[in-house]
Amino acid sequence: MSAEPALELVEVEKRYPTTDALKGISFSVESGEFFGLLGPNGAGKSTLINIMGGLVRPSSGHIRVMGHDVVTQYRHSRNHIGIVPQELVYDPFFTVWEMLTIQSGYFGRGRENDAWLEELLVTLNLMDKRNENLQRLSGGMKRRVLIAQALVHRPPVVVLDEPTAGVDVELRRALWSFAHRLHQEGHTIVLTTHYLEEAESMCDRIAILDQGELVALNEQQQLIADYPHQIAVIERHLGEKMPEWLVSARVSSSRNRTQLQLPRDVEGQNRFLQQLEMLGIVRQDVRLREPTLEEVFLGLTGEGA
C-alpha cells in the first residue's frame, strides 16, 4: 500500500440551520483498501460522499483525495475519484455511448479514451446497448451506465454508494464481480450499503457513522471482538412475560429459540447466567457465540432498540 492515504478526512463538519449533519469526522482510507462506510439512514454518509465529490462544501475540516484537497484543489481531487451515486441520475436525450464520451470530455479525455470506454461497455455487458437511448434502458442497465460514467477517467478511488439497492440477483453478482476486479487492479474502493452481509464479505476495514458521528472504525473481526457483548442462544421460547432486564437484553426470539445479549466479561456473564437460573434456565441450556457484524452494527447505532 502507498504511504499516502487514498482518502484523508480531518475533523469534517457540516452544519445546517436545523441540524449538524457531520460532527467532526476524522479517518483515513489507505490506498488499495476495500473500505466499508456504514450507518443508518440520516447518519451522514451521503453528506460525506457529497463533500468528497465536491457537491457540498464542509463547514469546517477538510478531505483530501490522493493528497488533493477537495475544496482548494478540486480539479485534481475530482480527477482522482469516481462516485457511483445511489440515485439513478441520467440525461434522457443521449445514447449510452454519447453519455460516456461527454463524461470523458469533462475530464479532458478525447478519442484516445475510446478504447477504455469500449472496455467498460464489454465488462459491464452494455455493448449491445451502446446506441440505445438512456431513457429506454431498464433500471439495472441504467445503474451499469452510472458505474461506467464514474470510471471513464480511470480514477484510483471509487466510491460505490448503495450500488446494489433494488437490483436483481444477477446484476448484484455482476456488480460485485466487477468491484472485486477493480480492487484487484489496485483501485481503492469505498462501499456504502445497507446489506451488511456485503460489507462482511468484502471490506477490509469498516467505519460506522451514527447521527453525524464516527462511532466505530476497525477491521471487521476487531469490531466484533471489541463489542462488549456476546450472544446467548437458548433453545426455547421464554414467553412474553419476562423481567425488564431480560426484555432489554433480547436480540431476537422465535417459537423455539431466544437470543440474548450478555456481558463479555466473566463477572457480568456469571451474574447474567445466575439470573437465568432463577427463571429455570440452567447453564447447559445456554450456548454462547460471537455477535455478527449486523448485531454489532445494530447495537452501536441503536437500530435494534
Side-chain angles (χ1 to χ4, degrees), residues 238-257:
L238 297 184
E240 298 304 318
K241 294 183 178 180
M242 296 188 292
E244 186 176 335
W245 65 267
L246 198 55
V247 173
S248 62
R250 184 170 54 181
V251 173
S252 67
S253 62
S254 64
R255 187 173 5 178
N256 300 315
R257 174 179 294 181

Side-chain angles (χ1 to χ4, degrees), residues 126-258:
L126 285 167
M127 187 58 82
D128 62 339
K129 306 294 183 183
R130 173 186 179 126
N131 297 315
E132 194 79 39
N133 188 286
L134 282 161
Q135 194 170 24
R136 291 196 290 268
L137 296 181
S138 68
M141 287 298 171
K142 288 185 180 112
R143 192 166 294 280
R144 293 177 195 231
V145 175
L146 290 181
I147 294 172
Q149 278 186 263
L151 297 174
V152 295
H153 56 301
R154 301 181 186 236
V157 180
V158 180
V159 179
L160 304 174
D161 187 8
E162 298 284 351
T164 59
V167 305
D168 60 35
V169 173
E170 181 184 358
L171 178 55
R172 181 174 296 178
R173 288 177 177 171
L175 291 176
W176 289 136
S177 175
F178 188 54
H180 273 300
R181 175 186 162 182
L182 288 173
H183 187 229
Q184 289 168 355
E185 291 174 353
H187 291 266
T188 302
I189 309 293
V190 177
L191 168 70
T192 77
T193 179
H194 284 294
Y195 302 116
L196 292 215
E197 67 275 10
E198 294 179 346
E200 201 165 17
S201 65
M202 303 186 75
C203 297
D204 303 318
R205 286 193 305 147
I206 292 170
I208 299 177
L209 301 185
D210 189 36
Q211 298 182 19
E213 299 184 19
L214 181 67
V215 297
L217 170 63
N218 218 320
E219 295 179 357
Q220 180 188 148
Q221 291 306 314
Q222 196 59 48
L223 280 178
I224 291 172
D226 290 343
Y227 190 60
H229 296 93
Q230 286 182 301
I231 305 298
V233 182
I234 303 168
E235 300 297 337
R236 57 184 277 196
H237 181 61
L238 297 184
E240 298 304 318
K241 294 183 178 180
M242 296 188 292
E244 186 176 335
W245 65 267
L246 198 55
V247 173
S248 62
R250 184 170 54 181
V251 173
S252 67
S253 62
S254 64
R255 187 173 5 178
N256 300 315
R257 174 179 294 181
T258 303

Side-chain angles (χ1 to χ4, degrees), residues 77-88:
S77 70
R78 288 174 206 175
N79 264 304
H80 287 83
I81 193 168
I83 296 176
V84 181
Q86 183 177 347
E87 299 83 9
L88 293 177

Side-chain angles (χ1 to χ4, degrees), residues 6-305:
L7 282 169
E8 184 182 18
L9 292 78
V10 179
E11 292 296 322
V12 180
E13 296 188 355
K14 182 60 185 177
R15 297 180 291 274
Y16 293 102
T18 59
T19 186
D20 292 340
L22 297 172
K23 306 171 185 176
I25 303 297
S26 296
F27 64 82
S28 61
V29 179
E30 300 304 319
S31 182
E33 264 197 293
F34 206 125
F35 187 87
L37 182 61
L38 308 181
N41 292 331
K45 304 186 303 298
S46 294
T47 302
L48 203 55
I49 290 170
N50 286 337
I51 295 173
M52 291 177 191
L55 297 176
V56 172
R57 284 200 171 204
S59 301
S60 61
H62 64 260
I63 296 179
R64 295 189 183 95
V65 181
M66 301 299 293
H68 303 290
D69 189 278
V70 298
V71 175
T72 62
Q73 299 171 301
Y74 63 91
R75 290 185 185 275
H76 293 293
S77 70
R78 288 174 206 175
N79 264 304
H80 287 83
I81 193 168
I83 296 176
V84 181
Q86 183 177 347
E87 299 83 9
L88 293 177
V89 181
Y90 63 95
D91 194 318
F93 299 105
F94 297 105
T95 66
V96 171
W97 182 254
E98 288 169 341
M99 190 68 258
L100 293 183
T101 54
I102 290 170
Q103 184 79 3
S104 186
Y106 290 154
F107 292 95
R109 268 70 166 181
R111 296 300 300 274
E112 76 281 355
N113 205 37
D114 285 1
W116 170 241
L117 299 185
E118 290 185 357
E119 185 178 342
L120 286 174
L121 291 179
V122 170
T123 303
L124 291 165
N125 293 320
L126 285 167
M127 187 58 82
D128 62 339
K129 306 294 183 183
R130 173 186 179 126
N131 297 315
E132 194 79 39
N133 188 286
L134 282 161
Q135 194 170 24
R136 291 196 290 268
L137 296 181
S138 68
M141 287 298 171
K142 288 185 180 112
R143 192 166 294 280
R144 293 177 195 231
V145 175
L146 290 181
I147 294 172
Q149 278 186 263
L151 297 174
V152 295
H153 56 301
R154 301 181 186 236
V157 180
V158 180
V159 179
L160 304 174
D161 187 8
E162 298 284 351
T164 59
V167 305
D168 60 35
V169 173
E170 181 184 358
L171 178 55
R172 181 174 296 178
R173 288 177 177 171
L175 291 176
W176 289 136
S177 175
F178 188 54
H180 273 300
R181 175 186 162 182
L182 288 173
H183 187 229
Q184 289 168 355
E185 291 174 353
H187 291 266
T188 302
I189 309 293
V190 177
L191 168 70
T192 77
T193 179
H194 284 294
Y195 302 116
L196 292 215
E197 67 275 10
E198 294 179 346
E200 201 165 17
S201 65
M202 303 186 75
C203 297
D204 303 318
R205 286 193 305 147
I206 292 170
I208 299 177
L209 301 185
D210 189 36
Q211 298 182 19
E213 299 184 19
L214 181 67
V215 297
L217 170 63
N218 218 320
E219 295 179 357
Q220 180 188 148
Q221 291 306 314
Q222 196 59 48
L223 280 178
I224 291 172
D226 290 343
Y227 190 60
H229 296 93
Q230 286 182 301
I231 305 298
V233 182
I234 303 168
E235 300 297 337
R236 57 184 277 196
H237 181 61
L238 297 184
E240 298 304 318
K241 294 183 178 180
M242 296 188 292
E244 186 176 335
W245 65 267
L246 198 55
V247 173
S248 62
R250 184 170 54 181
V251 173
S252 67
S253 62
S254 64
R255 187 173 5 178
N256 300 315
R257 174 179 294 181
T258 303
Q259 300 193 91
L260 308 167
Q261 282 195 132
L262 79 164
R264 191 179 285 275
D265 66 282
V266 174
E267 183 180 340
Q269 281 191 8
N270 286 335
R271 188 165 54 249
F272 194 95
L273 292 170
Q274 287 169 2
Q275 290 175 305
L276 287 178
E277 287 179 349
M278 294 173 63
L279 299 175
I281 302 166
V282 298
R283 298 190 181 212
Q284 289 81 355
D285 293 336
V286 180
R287 176 171 56 86
L288 299 184
R289 66 167 176 82
E290 288 296 302
T292 63
L293 177 61
E294 180 174 359
E295 287 164 342
V296 171
F297 173 83
L298 294 174
L300 290 173
T301 61
E303 290 289 286

